[in-house]
Amino acid sequence: MDFQLTEDHLMMKKMVRDFAEAEAAEGAEHRDEHEEFSMDLWKKCGELGLAGVTFPEEYGGVGADYVSYAITIEELSRVDPSLGVTISAHSSLCANPINLFGTEEQKQKYLVPLATGEKMGAFGLTESMAGTDASGTKTTAVLEGDEYVINGSKIFITNGYYADIYVITAQMDKSKGNKGIAAFILEKGTPGFTFGKKEKKMGIRSSATYELVFENVRIPKENLLGQEGQGFKIAMQTLDYGRIGIAAQAVGIAQGAYEQAIKYSKERSQFGKTLSEFQVTQFKLADMALNIEAARLLLYQACCLASEHKPVSMYSAMAKLFAAETANKVVTQAVQIHGGYGYTREYPVERFMRDAKITEIYEGTSEAQRMVIAAHILRD
Amino acid sequence: MNILVSLKQTFDTEAKIAISGGKIDATGVNLVINPYDEFAVEEALKLREKFGGEVTIISIGGDKVETSVRTALAMGADKGVIVNDPALEGADECVIAEVLAKAIAQQPYDLVLSGRIAVDDGSSQVAVRTADVLNIPSVSSILKLEIEGDVATVTREIDGGTEELEVKMPALFTAQKGLNEPRYPTMPGIMKAKKKEVKTVTLADLGISDAAPKMNAPKYSLPSPRKAGTILSGMEAPDAARELAKLLHEEAKVI
């Protein structure tokens, strides 16, 4: 057992950190304020290979392991959590199911441009009546000749509008419940496929979140991902891996807020001492450091399992749950250390606090993660 | 075109410098490519993209230096040579230049690039002395480099302006900030870097038997800590301004 990052990992960490600090840090506050998605940053991420870290080289990816992926998302999120989730949703939720379940033709056509960053991906599972319980899926798909006809809508879709390729789920046979669901690959620009409401969010405001609307959207038969009836399984397995991305985002948010708290506590003086000289602050910082390290180790453990194609479900749920709760604790304490200034937009901890909350909600709420963990530990 | 880049590993520019036992303490310090040498790497990669050929990184140092050489390979350089020999501990600029020249002379080259200064000891000697040992022309602090045939046209910084020079190659140039914007290593670049060749050589391999420094540094000292600032308070603005002017004149002696 070796808890050290490899030389490659360290080099990746430095590269992504340098990139994030130089290119993403300065505008993060402005993008948050104006809910501005940055195509420019997305493109730059693609050029550096950040859009396809874990995918095989023969499909345009980097061919690196999941620790490399977690490092990427963590370092982006440490500076700009919105950019972190853009890359995470693209990689984990769109490129990955195509990598796992796609045919050779689908991989050539879709995975290659996704992995190289030439095209952006998104994933549509959630609907107004289908959140944690996917069996409420109302979007339908009907096979007509050589085409599937899709009707319905999806909400809260990260990278919606900006993404070129969408993996979505639709119900084909309501009587079968989850086993009637199928997954499809959809291209932006397909007639009948439009975008509805853009969400106004509490946090991660410079990531795009849109409603997808399908009105008699006809897609070729070969855009079925996996088999008919396999959609729920594909979605669940996609989320098993996806949680690694969100855990990494949460660790990044926590790390970013923690570093801000350390910096501020050394600068700010009260009663003739810096805040960092008070034991009450020291204990807060110690707890932050402790929880971040623990979250990161859980995350890396899930990553190692994912890299070796071992069952990852319970560990990615644990990592995501613990990292999300850690992020929320850490940002709250980071704001507390900043006092009144922490509550203003003058300091980035205010943004980190708003950004952290979503990690306890998307890609499975903390309650859903506990359901996953409980199902595993009580299975025998 | 074959381009050699002489690269030095230095402390991270944000590193806190500590002295222990009369020497600079490197414990826990992040080591990076000397920022000016990064400009040299970038320029070499741009020239290779234009003219083809190979970019070879040459560096002197202990085991840790490989990380920086690999970073340059991850940026896109083709191979590396590291001179690693315990006899070089405490080497001065004279020795380093001799060793570099020997290592360079073993490679075919049209151009040698380096940074204009290393951010650690800041001597600005090594590259220029290396050119001297190799008996090739050198120009320091270049801001622009263009090549046609075997002639390089370089623009360098001079006091109050710039100067354009035509130099017959092979030649050595040192990079000034502004020459280019170094690229980041890419993810695929990092993955490929570990498969690229990095040759480690000793002084014996280079046919050098005497590496004794001609200078030594018996003492290092840190700058004295900055004094706390003075805040003029409890005064009306005109009085405060008068007092400030007086202090700047009499104590700080800046006006």
Side-chain angles (χ1 to χ4, degrees):
Chain A
M1 184 173 274
D2 184 0
F3 286 98
Q4 301 298 308
L5 294 177
T6 65
E7 286 289 329
D8 279 4
H9 291 144
L10 292 171
M11 210 188 283
M12 289 168 180
K13 198 173 173 75
K14 181 177 184 322
M15 179 270 277
V16 185
R17 178 169 293 200
D18 288 349
F19 165 73
E21 285 180 350
E23 313 278 340
E26 204 187 309
E29 187 191 333
H30 176 90
R31 290 192 300 277
D32 169 71
E33 183 83 30
H34 299 274
E35 302 186 309
E36 215 173 87
F37 181 85
S38 171
M39 271 312 262
D40 181 51
L41 279 175
W42 154 257
K43 283 203 185 105
K44 283 178 177 161
C45 286
E47 284 160 15
L48 293 175
L50 309 187
V53 177
T54 57
F55 307 112
E57 283 173 87
E58 62 261 43
Y59 297 114
V62 176
D65 62 4
Y66 268 87
V67 173
S68 310
Y69 175 61
I71 287 170
T72 302
I73 305 297
E74 180 190 333
E75 288 301 329
L76 294 176
S77 304
R78 173 181 165 271
V79 167
D80 183 356
S82 294
L83 183 59
V85 75
T86 300
I87 301 297
S88 175
H90 159 88
S91 315
S92 283
L93 302 185
C94 182
N96 198 41
I98 298 174
N99 180 46
L100 292 175
F101 300 98
T103 61
E104 182 57 28
E105 290 71 28
Q106 286 171 337
K107 287 185 191 178
Q108 290 298 343
K109 189 171 176 190
Y110 297 114
L111 180 56
V112 171
L114 285 168
T116 55
E118 187 196 319
K119 292 196 169 162
M120 192 195 303
F123 174 69
L125 171 69
T126 303
E127 297 183 9
S128 54
M129 295 307 288
T132 301
D133 178 11
S135 66
T137 299
K138 292 267 194 307
T139 296
T140 58
V142 178
L143 184 62
E144 282 183 12
D146 282 344
E147 291 175 328
Y148 286 103
V149 183
I150 297 170
N151 277 289
S153 65
K154 298 283 173 181
I155 57 165
F156 304 151
I157 307 308
T158 304
N159 295 350
Y161 181 80
Y162 293 96
D164 307 284
I165 297 163
Y166 297 76
V167 169
I168 62 126
T169 53
Q171 184 59 264
M172 293 198 68
D173 186 347
K174 205 165 180 288
S175 68
K176 290 186 183 158
N178 285 341
K179 292 209 162 89
I181 295 172
F184 301 92
I185 305 169
L186 234 69
E187 289 179 47
K188 182 181 180 174
T190 309
F193 175 21
T194 56
F195 302 97
K197 190 169 95 169
K198 179 192 178 183
E199 296 299 338
K200 291 179 82 69
K201 307 190 296 290
M202 173 198 281
I204 53 160
R205 285 158 55 90
S206 62
S207 85
T209 311
Y210 275 82
E211 181 185 10
L212 313 181
V213 181
F214 316 118
E215 286 169 316
N216 291 317
V217 180
R218 293 182 167 271
I219 56 167
K221 208 176 158 184
E222 55 267 23
N223 278 26
L224 172 71
L225 186 59
Q227 308 295 318
E228 285 183 8
Q230 229 190 353
F232 181 74
K233 188 187 130 195
I234 290 173
M236 290 305 113
Q237 217 163 315
T238 296
L239 291 176
D240 283 344
Y241 286 94
R243 284 167 188 144
I244 287 175
I246 303 308
Q249 186 202 20
V251 171
I253 293 170
Q255 180 70 29
Y258 161 74
E259 286 177 29
Q260 294 294 331
I262 293 248
K263 185 166 167 255
Y264 187 81
S265 72
K266 285 182 179 173
E267 289 166 2
R268 171 81 167 172
S269 288
Q270 290 285 278
F271 305 106
K273 285 199 285 187
T274 65
L275 297 189
S276 62
E277 288 172 291
F278 290 95
Q279 197 176 52
V280 66
T281 315
Q282 292 171 0
F283 280 16
K284 280 192 171 96
L285 293 170
D287 283 342
M288 289 182 186
L290 165 73
N291 282 296
I292 293 169
E293 275 308 316
R296 196 179 279 122
L297 287 177
L298 259 179
L299 167 63
Y300 287 170
Q301 190 184 4
C303 287
C304 290
L305 292 167
S307 299
E308 290 171 21
H309 308 288
K310 288 182 178 159
V312 71
S313 176
M314 181 176 78
Y315 288 95
S316 64
M318 284 180 168
K320 195 259 189 189
L321 170 61
F322 191 76
E325 292 190 344
T326 293
N328 279 277
K329 272 188 236 164
V330 168
V331 293
T332 307
Q333 290 305 322
V335 167
Q336 196 66 25
I337 287 172
H338 281 69
Y341 286 113
Y343 198 69
T344 70
R345 296 206 172 169
E346 225 172 289
Y347 286 86
V349 288
E350 183 269 348
R351 175 167 52 89
F352 281 128
M353 186 163 173
R354 286 184 288 104
D355 286 350
K357 185 60 203 172
I358 191 61
T359 63
E360 286 191 294
I361 298 171
Y362 60 15
E363 298 197 33
T365 58
S366 289
E367 293 72 19
Q369 308 308 326
R370 288 189 165 84
M371 282 162 56
V372 171
I373 296 164
H376 278 278
I377 58 180
L378 295 172
R379 198 162 48 184
D380 301 323
Chain B
M1 181 177 305
N2 290 310
I3 308 152
L4 307 184
V5 180
S6 158
L7 176 153
K8 186 180 187 182
Q9 186 178 52
T10 59
F11 282 20
D12 188 339
T13 46
E14 283 170 20
K16 206 173 165 195
I17 310 295
I19 293 175
S20 72
K23 284 186 169 176
I24 294 165
D25 188 1
T27 317
V29 168
N30 258 344
L31 299 167
V32 299
I33 298 176
N34 173 40
Y36 289 93
D37 295 345
E38 267 189 359
F39 300 132
V41 174
E42 175 63 32
E43 200 62 18
L45 296 175
K46 280 165 71 177
L47 289 172
R48 188 197 56 194
E49 280 157 15
K50 199 166 167 190
F51 297 105
E54 271 197 336
V55 174
T56 306
I57 307 295
I58 296 185
S59 194
I60 298 177
D63 295 342
K64 286 180 182 168
V65 83
E66 188 172 337
T67 320
S68 291
V69 173
R70 293 267 175 214
T71 303
L73 299 181
M75 287 169 77
D78 299 284
K79 55 190 172 63
V81 176
I82 296 171
V83 186
N84 185 348
D85 198 304
L88 288 169
E89 180 87 16
D92 59 20
E93 286 86 352
C94 177
V95 171
I96 295 291
E98 293 281 348
V99 173
L100 268 178
K102 279 274 190 326
I104 288 168
Q106 290 194 339
Q107 316 278 330
Y109 68 94
D110 303 290
L111 200 59
V112 183
L113 296 173
S114 193
R116 74 161 182 88
I117 192 169
V119 296
D120 49 9
D121 55 25
S123 77
S124 276
Q125 286 193 32
V126 170
V128 181
R129 295 183 77 143
T130 304
D132 193 53
V133 179
L134 290 166
N135 197 24
I136 57 171
S138 79
V139 180
S140 297
S141 297
I142 65 163
L143 291 165
K144 200 172 160 198
L145 168 60
E146 269 164 17
I147 288 170
E148 213 176 298
D150 63 350
V151 175
T153 306
V154 294
T155 304
R156 71 162 175 165
E157 210 169 47
I158 56 172
D159 194 16
T162 57
E163 176 183 38
E164 200 175 283
L165 294 160
E166 286 176 355
V167 187
K168 190 144 190 306
M169 299 200 296
L172 179 148
F173 303 126
T174 71
Q176 169 64 308
K177 188 176 181 183
L179 176 63
N180 54 45
E181 201 55 56
R183 68 194 67 190
Y184 299 100
T186 65
M187 281 280 174
I190 292 169
M191 297 294 282
K192 281 182 200 121
K194 63 174 172 243
K195 292 172 203 146
K196 290 181 179 172
E197 180 201 348
V198 175
K199 210 163 78 184
T200 301
V201 297
T202 61
L203 290 180
D205 295 330
L206 297 175
I208 298 171
S209 51
D210 178 20
K214 294 178 176 62
M215 299 192 296
N216 66 61
K219 192 175 168 228
Y220 287 95
S221 55
L222 292 170
S224 43
R226 220 168 58 177
K227 284 185 208 139
T230 311
I231 295 170
L232 302 174
S233 57
M235 274 185 254
E236 291 294 318
D239 295 332
R242 207 169 295 118
E243 180 64 18
L244 176 64
K246 193 179 136 210
L247 288 173
L248 288 173
H249 182 62
E250 289 173 9
E251 282 196 18
K253 294 185 170 55
V254 292
I255 56 171

